[in-house]
Amino acid sequence: MPGGRLTQQERQQIALGLADGLAYAEIARRLERPTSTVTREVMRNGGPASYRADLAHRATERRAHRRKQSAPRGPEAARDAYGRDAEAVREYEETLTTVFIASGTPKMMARVMACLTISDTGSLTAAELVARLQVSPASVSKAISFLDSQGMVRRERDERRRERYVVDNDIMYEGMMASARSMAQVAETARQGVGILGSGTQAGTRLENISRFLDFVAESTARAADQAREILHTKPEPAASDS
């Protein structure tokens, strides 16, 4: 199986595969590449509808050039304070960003969320996000506003009175609960439509099915989030010592 970065020819094959309506897995199989490689390539270069092989290739070359220019010199350059490989961490951050995008999170918001998630403190200031992502303060502000509205980040002040943006286990819980409440609201609105359009009509039946489905999913999501939160905060019992 070939390794390393995608070639321009491989990117052209990806573009042709997308034009033919092939799934990422099938394109990856033909290239003998992991599906995650193809998914990440497409999602960070405009998505399936806007992917262009030549533009994607030039963008990758620019990213590689920027990394080369900004990389610290010396034997310690490839490792961080925990001994982690810096390039592997960057590649993982891009993979995580791609997964967030594929799940429906807008690109800039996904980049901010991934950056916060892999930070060891789980919190960063706006200035730190700007420096890490090499984007404008306005882009970070817009992304944080969106994530905050979805319950996916928490704002707090540090000892220097700077606003920090936090992701932690409770944020994931709150985000799931916000999603459950949103689904429940859609279900209730659909239920109202049944009375207006008539329960015996096709439209009324469709809305009734939507409301029943979302009621069930919202309740299941909230229950699962509560159970998972309880497990998450339960400390494991110490192992019994031999006597």
Side-chain angles (χ1 to χ4, degrees):
M1 180 177 293
R5 298 190 182 280
L6 290 166
T7 65
Q8 188 163 15
Q9 183 178 6
E10 286 177 316
R11 290 191 167 94
Q12 289 170 349
Q13 290 179 262
I14 290 173
L16 290 173
L18 293 171
D20 289 340
L22 298 181
Y24 293 151
E26 176 59 21
I27 296 173
R29 186 189 67 78
R30 295 184 180 191
L31 293 175
E32 296 185 330
R33 290 278 193 170
T35 302
S36 60
T37 297
V38 174
T39 304
R40 182 171 62 245
E41 167 69 15
V42 174
M43 295 307 296
R44 70 178 167 186
N45 288 291
S50 302
Y51 183 82
R52 299 292 182 273
D54 54 341
L55 296 179
H57 195 71
R58 287 200 293 270
T60 301
E61 288 181 334
R62 286 196 299 271
R63 285 194 293 267
H65 182 67
R66 285 199 301 268
R67 287 174 182 170
K68 186 176 180 180
Q69 286 185 321
S70 62
R73 305 299 180 202
E76 73 284 356
R79 299 284 169 179
D80 66 6
Y82 291 90
R84 295 176 294 215
D85 184 279
E87 181 62 22
V89 172
R90 278 195 294 269
E91 287 291 335
Y92 175 73
E93 183 174 354
E94 290 182 354
T95 298
L96 186 60
T97 299
T98 300
V99 170
F100 286 152
I101 292 171
S103 71
T105 306
K107 184 177 180 179
M108 191 65 238
M109 292 65 172
R111 291 189 66 197
V112 169
M113 191 65 182
C115 189
L116 284 167
T117 301
I118 69 167
S119 66
D120 286 301
T121 60
S123 71
L124 295 168
T125 65
E128 288 169 337
L129 284 166
V130 166
R132 290 191 183 208
L133 297 174
Q134 295 294 291
V135 296
S136 69
S139 296
V140 168
S141 177
K142 183 178 179 180
I144 288 296
S145 295
F146 173 84
L147 293 170
D148 186 22
S149 71
Q150 299 299 306
M152 298 173 71
V153 299
R154 184 177 73 250
R155 300 171 188 257
E156 62 180 34
R157 296 282 181 179
D158 62 17
E159 66 281 356
R160 294 169 59 184
R161 304 301 299 165
R162 297 176 304 179
E163 188 170 69
R164 302 190 70 85
Y165 311 116
V166 183
V167 293
D168 55 22
N169 295 329
D170 282 332
I171 282 297
M172 293 297 101
Y173 168 79
E174 294 298 341
M176 291 299 293
M177 295 302 289
S179 176
R181 288 192 294 270
S182 178
M183 284 188 286
Q185 184 175 19
V186 175
E188 174 58 29
T189 303
R191 201 159 30 246
Q192 293 171 6
V194 175
I196 295 171
L197 296 168
S199 59
T201 65
Q202 288 183 326
T205 300
R206 186 180 306 117
L207 287 169
E208 184 175 359
N209 287 335
I210 289 172
S211 68
R212 290 172 59 203
F213 174 81
L214 290 179
D215 273 336
F216 179 84
V217 173
E219 183 181 345
S220 299
T221 298
R223 182 167 59 249
D226 280 331
Q227 291 171 346
R229 189 188 198 193
E230 184 177 343
I231 293 170
L232 200 61
H233 290 286
T234 300
K235 300 295 182 182
E237 295 183 4
S241 57
D242 295 331
S243 55

